[in-house]
Each structure stands twice: as structure tokens, then as C-alpha cells.
Amino acid sequence: MPACLLGSDAAAFTISIVCVFITFLLLLTILFRFRWHMRLWLYEACRGRHHSRRMRGRHFRYDVFVSYAEENSPWVVRELLPRLEEEWGLRLCVHQRDFVPGNYIVDNIADCVGLSGRVLLVFSPDFASSEWCQFELKFCQACVMERDDVMVLVMMQETEAEARHLTGAMMAVLRTTTYLEWAEHRDARASFWGRLRLALEVEEPGEGEMEEEEAVGLDG
């Protein structure tokens, strides 16, 4: 009888340990799956949602906040910055140049997004593999929803195999938002810059002068 009781106790103990272990694994899986949602929620709860509330039409320090992976910085520096800043006269916020040294990264992200009139995200497999890019995506989504605005999405041209590495959040955004795709050949580049100009509401050269002349003519 004692041996039977000992065997029953050992079996019950083993089953309990297995159940606890399985529960622990499930909890870890859930926490990992929703880690960015929880991180964003905790950050907003601690910081206060008023820091991300912005009114459309207020004066911003930056015209566009650009979220991109470090691996895509050559494209941002070589293609995006010269076109938008030097030719179109916009002021971009990029982490390599404009994040305040010494500040926490989450504070830099929140402050710079709050000081920017628009948000532009450069999607790529490298973006998908970057935890900070995923945090920026979640934070930017929350901000633009509060201000009833849109995000401008740029998709780096990738092979179908590479596109499979995009996260669920990125795929959801791509399915619900019209995005611009970058390609190297000339016609595609011209179309890309034209559509990006429209998305950022940048006037064509001479449009401002024409509108002023029409207004003067009407007044006359």
C-alpha cells in the first residue's frame, strides 16, 4: 500500500510539474507574440497619452518623420534626403541625425514623432527584423489614428521570398494602405517621386506663384 501511495503521489507531482511547464510556455508564447503591443501600452501608460496627441495644422519642427532600418540608411541618405530636403524644401527627421544623444530611444521616438507633421515608413525585410522599427511602427500607428491622419508607406522592391519575412503588423498595414514601391529603373523612379510628392502634399514648382497670380487677377 505505501508503495502504491508513493507511486500515485509521484505521478500527481509529475503531472502538476508538466502542467505548470506547459502553462509557463504558453504564457511566454503569448508575451512574445504581443510584446510590442504591451511595450507600447506600458510606455503610453507611464508617459501619458497627451504626449502623443497632436492637432493637425499646428507648427511642427519637422515635416516628415522617417522610420527605417539601419540597413536601408544608404538609400535614405543617397535618394530620400537629397530629393525631399534639397529639392522639395522639406525638413526630415531621421534617427541618425536628429535623435538627441543621451535620451532613451523610446523618448526620442515619441518626441520626434510628436514634432513631425507626417510619418513615412520604409518597409523592408530589415525593417521587419528590427525590434526598434517594429516599436516605431506601433507607435506611429497609434499617433496617426489619434490625429486622424495617414502614414506614407514606401516598400523597397524585394523578391517574393524576402517579402515573406514581413511581420503580421506590416502585412496588415500593406493590405489596408496604398503604398509606394521603390524600383531602380527610370520610369519607376519618376512615378515613385511623383506619387510621393502627392502623398506629402508638396506643390509642384511654380504652383504657388500661379495661385497667387490667379488670386491677384480675381481681385483686380
Side-chain angles (χ1 to χ4, degrees):
M1 182 67 67
C4 294
L5 292 176
L6 183 59
S8 299
D9 291 341
F13 178 76
T14 302
I15 293 174
S16 300
I17 293 298
V18 171
C19 291
V20 170
F21 182 73
I22 293 174
T23 302
F24 181 73
L25 286 180
L26 289 175
L27 181 60
L28 284 181
T29 302
I30 294 172
L31 289 175
F32 181 80
R33 175 66 178 82
F34 296 99
R35 65 192 186 283
W36 292 110
H37 297 78
M38 297 177 63
R39 189 169 190 171
L40 179 59
W41 180 84
L42 289 172
Y43 179 76
E44 290 183 339
C46 295
R47 182 181 174 86
R49 294 185 65 84
H50 65 280
H51 286 274
S52 62
R53 291 197 180 100
R54 300 172 296 159
M55 297 173 56
R56 185 153 180 92
R58 80 171 244 196
H59 177 73
F60 295 103
R61 179 183 300 177
Y62 306 103
D63 295 300
V64 184
F65 174 84
V66 185
S67 175
Y68 60 97
E70 191 69 28
E71 292 79 2
N72 300 127
S73 59
W75 179 83
V76 172
V77 173
R78 184 183 67 250
E79 300 285 351
L80 196 66
L81 287 176
R83 176 76 64 156
L84 271 62
E85 291 195 331
E86 298 174 15
E87 296 187 24
W88 297 357
L90 300 178
R91 170 65 172 169
L92 271 59
C93 178
V94 294
H95 67 264
Q96 292 172 308
R97 180 187 65 190
D98 300 303
F99 277 13
V100 178
N103 283 4
Y104 290 112
I105 296 179
V106 289
D107 288 330
N108 270 321
I109 293 172
D111 292 340
C112 288
V113 171
L115 293 171
S116 302
R118 285 291 179 88
V119 172
L120 187 152
L121 299 101
V122 181
F123 277 8
S124 69
D126 294 312
F127 188 102
S129 63
S130 169
E131 291 189 350
W132 287 117
C133 287
Q134 293 303 307
F135 179 81
E136 287 181 350
L137 171 61
K138 297 296 183 182
F139 190 86
C140 290
Q141 282 182 304
C143 288
V144 298
M145 288 178 65
E146 285 189 358
R147 62 180 289 185
D148 193 25
D149 202 350
V150 296
M151 294 187 297
V152 179
L153 304 179
V154 173
M155 180 67 179
M156 304 302 290
Q157 190 177 45
E158 306 290 348
T159 65
E160 183 178 351
E162 289 174 322
R164 293 172 185 167
H165 294 291
L166 302 184
T167 64
M170 293 170 65
M171 294 302 297
V173 172
L174 291 173
R175 291 191 187 101
T176 57
T177 307
T178 301
Y179 61 91
L180 309 177
E181 186 173 359
W182 171 261
E184 290 294 340
H185 54 89
R186 181 179 299 179
D187 292 341
R189 287 163 62 99
S191 174
F192 173 87
W193 293 122
R195 295 177 66 196
L196 182 59
R197 182 188 287 273
L198 291 174
L200 297 177
E201 300 178 358
V202 179
E203 292 183 352
E204 292 282 356
E207 283 185 354
E209 291 84 351
M210 294 177 59
E211 291 178 357
E212 290 180 3
E213 290 177 1
E214 291 176 358
V216 170
L218 292 173
D219 292 338

